[in-house]
Amino acid sequence: MLKEAAGRSKLDWILFGAMAGLVLIGALCIMSAMNSISLSNSVVRTHMLALCVGGAAFVAGWSFNYQIYDEQWKALYTFILILLVGVLLFGSYQRGSRSWFVLPFFSMQPSEICRVLTLLVAAAFLDRRGPRIRDTSSLIGLGLLLIPIFGLIMMQPDFSSIVISFPALVILLYCTGVNMFYLWLLVLFGAVAGICTIGWTYIYLHPDLTQYTLIKMFQQTSSNVLYMGGVCAGVALLGYGAWWFFRQLRIFLPSFYFVLATVVILGGFFASVFVDHQMKTYQRKRVEAFLAPKSDPQGAGYNVLQAQIAMGSGGVFGKGLFSGTQSRLGFVPEKHTDFILAVVGEELGLWGTLLVLGLYLVILWRLVMIGYSAGDRYGYLVCGGMFGMFFTYMLINFGMLIGIVPVAGIPLPFISYGGSNLVSSLFALGVAQSVHARRLRA
């Protein structure tokens, strides 16, 4: 174990202050969105209970030596699998997903805490690879480790957890110094899976497009075995053609690269097929709202358009806390969860929105600095993974509100209502504080 540096602060007060500021703004905006400052309101009461539990989780994450997660990563991995299998067997079925444990006084979404624990496990696995991290076996080993976790999450299905975890893991791999070629392959995998899923979803919602032969053929590749075989043959032929083309240019890249790229493209394709078969109608509507929100202003695009109207109505200085009209009168759906930023924009204005963004940027900056000064490689990797997670949260939520990413049902940590997310996010920053407390460099 590393010895703690004497005379140094065991708490990063800048990180703590940014976190506390976001928690305070979030609590006030949730109270305003629910038209209540009384604990008699169930949403406000549950949020305050989650805040207390989250505070305890933060203290626990900060107090325990983070290296214990490195030493006990196999036990953590087993715990993750037990939670995810348990929710599939005993979880509550809500909105087409089995993602929640409903307990007497509160509900818990295991995938939220599993997301943070998965980063701790992945960092431990990669830390043990050492100089072998650039070997293909490292990436394959990590993939085999994560497939059961992602597979169980997809069976719920809980696509938002995958959306958050995948970029965080890519950034974690970047921090390890993995071969950049493999990182680009991961990006390619995500791009193929995302483009195919969005394309099939749009066709599903607009069946008139199938009158065009190519579009109809593309649609059938997600369900027709014969067409799937054609895709496999076509991608394999494309991979061989790329290999032959580079050889003609006297660029002699290893054949293994082309084989691996072919496998990754096909993996992304079949991942999108799985997602397409698991998607619910309301999830498809979210994609439609992203692609063309104004095409159905009373239906799929209603949430986004109303949130943008509410945010724009706040102007520079806002209407004041508890004085919003669009959100408090119910024009903005999911105002205390998915679209809490609309409440911030309407009541606190542009300056309030920029304040929230600024506090998130401070958290990201401190995670980078804590990772840089970490006492060991594992602490550095943990902070890198946490950075990736919170960066993705921020990017999706701000992007969702301005219409550059689809509505994904992903909360904004510390701001949105959602007890499981609040507790897991506070625990994550507690672990980062543990890395800070045991740093070696000033």
Side-chain angles (χ1 to χ4, degrees):
M1 297 292 180
L2 296 173
K3 294 182 179 179
E4 297 174 15
R8 293 177 181 167
S9 172
K10 295 183 179 180
L11 189 68
D12 187 318
W13 288 102
I14 299 177
L15 176 62
F16 180 81
M19 179 191 75
L22 287 173
V23 168
L24 177 60
I25 294 173
L28 292 173
C29 288
I30 288 172
M31 289 180 181
S32 178
M34 301 312 298
N35 298 319
S36 174
I37 58 173
S38 171
L39 290 179
S40 62
N41 185 288
S42 61
V43 170
V44 175
R45 183 173 63 249
T46 302
H47 184 75
M48 293 305 170
L49 174 62
L51 187 55
C52 294
V53 176
F58 172 82
V59 172
W62 171 41
S63 302
F64 284 102
N65 191 328
Y66 67 92
Q67 293 167 327
I68 194 173
Y69 309 118
D70 189 20
E71 297 171 356
Q72 303 297 326
W73 72 275
K74 292 181 180 178
L76 273 183
Y77 183 72
T78 303
F79 179 65
I80 292 170
L81 296 182
I82 290 174
L83 277 180
L84 295 178
V85 171
V87 78
L88 288 175
L89 295 177
F90 308 109
S92 174
Y93 192 77
Q94 301 177 12
R95 296 187 68 182
S97 300
R98 196 177 297 277
S99 305
W100 294 84
F101 285 125
V102 178
L103 304 173
F105 299 104
F106 61 92
S107 298
M108 182 184 74
Q109 190 175 11
S111 61
E112 292 287 352
I113 186 63
C114 287
R115 183 181 305 130
V116 178
L117 297 183
T118 298
L119 290 175
L120 296 177
V121 168
F125 175 84
L126 294 171
D127 181 42
R128 280 165 169 71
R129 300 299 295 176
R132 296 172 296 166
I133 193 63
R134 296 182 67 84
D135 296 345
T136 308
S137 60
S138 297
L139 198 62
I140 294 175
L142 181 63
L144 294 175
L145 191 73
L146 296 178
I147 283 174
I149 295 176
F150 287 168
L152 290 170
I153 291 175
M154 293 292 285
M155 289 173 66
Q156 296 180 15
D158 182 8
F159 301 122
S160 61
S161 288
I162 306 296
V163 170
I164 293 294
S165 299
F166 186 78
L169 289 167
V170 170
I171 292 176
L172 176 58
L173 282 168
Y174 174 79
C175 292
T176 64
V178 73
N179 191 320
M180 287 300 296
F181 173 73
Y182 299 140
L183 285 183
W184 283 113
L185 286 183
L186 287 175
V187 173
L188 178 63
F189 175 90
V192 171
I195 291 172
C196 288
T197 300
I198 290 175
W200 289 328
T201 298
Y202 193 76
I203 296 170
Y204 173 86
L205 296 170
H206 299 84
D208 55 299
L209 293 174
T210 56
Q211 62 179 307
Y212 300 103
T213 304
L214 289 178
I215 293 179
K216 186 174 183 179
M217 291 175 63
F218 171 69
Q219 181 196 35
Q220 291 178 337
T221 57
S222 69
S223 56
N224 188 299
V225 176
L226 183 62
Y227 279 90
M228 288 183 188
V231 169
C232 293
V235 172
L237 186 61
L238 182 65
Y240 175 79
W243 172 81
W244 178 86
F245 178 74
F246 276 98
R247 285 184 67 86
Q248 299 305 306
L249 295 178
R250 302 290 181 180
I251 302 175
F252 297 102
L253 296 175
S255 303
F256 175 71
Y257 281 10
F258 296 95
V259 174
L260 193 57
T262 300
V263 171
V264 166
I265 293 173
L266 290 177
F269 169 75
F270 283 107
S272 66
V273 170
F274 181 82
V275 171
D276 184 64
H277 290 176
Q278 292 286 332
M279 284 185 76
K280 310 301 179 184
T281 301
Y282 76 91
Q283 292 169 326
R284 295 184 187 278
K285 288 290 186 180
R286 288 173 172 174
V287 177
E288 183 183 31
F290 160 65
L291 295 174
K294 294 182 180 180
S295 64
D296 187 11
Q298 298 301 317
Y302 180 80
N303 291 10
V304 175
L305 292 175
Q306 290 300 321
Q308 291 174 346
I309 291 171
M311 195 167 186
S313 68
V316 176
F317 300 105
K319 299 176 180 178
L321 273 173
F322 303 98
S323 300
T325 53
Q326 294 293 117
S327 55
R328 289 172 67 84
L329 294 177
F331 290 102
V332 180
E334 310 293 341
K335 55 192 175 184
H336 59 301
T337 53
D338 296 359
F339 292 99
I340 191 68
L341 273 178
V343 179
V344 174
E346 182 182 20
E347 300 192 352
L348 300 181
L350 177 62
W351 77 267
T353 306
L354 292 178
L355 175 63
V356 170
L357 178 61
L359 291 174
Y360 263 102
L361 293 176
V362 168
I363 288 177
L364 295 177
W365 165 57
R366 293 313 303 166
L367 286 173
V368 170
M369 299 309 296
I370 292 172
Y372 174 74
S373 63
D376 61 0
R377 190 165 182 264
Y378 180 67
Y380 167 72
L381 294 180
V382 166
C383 289
M386 300 302 180
F387 172 91
M389 182 179 71
F390 285 111
F391 176 78
T392 307
Y393 272 127
M394 182 188 73
L395 183 66
I396 289 177
N397 275 274
F398 279 89
M400 181 178 67
L401 199 62
I402 62 178
I404 62 173
V405 298
V407 176
I410 294 174
L412 182 62
F414 314 117
I415 302 290
S416 298
Y417 171 75
S420 299
N421 181 266
L422 178 60
V423 171
S424 63
S425 298
L426 288 170
F427 173 71
L429 289 191
V431 174
Q433 291 281 13
S434 178
V435 177
H436 172 78
R438 294 161 179 85
R439 67 198 184 280
L440 289 183
R441 295 186 292 272

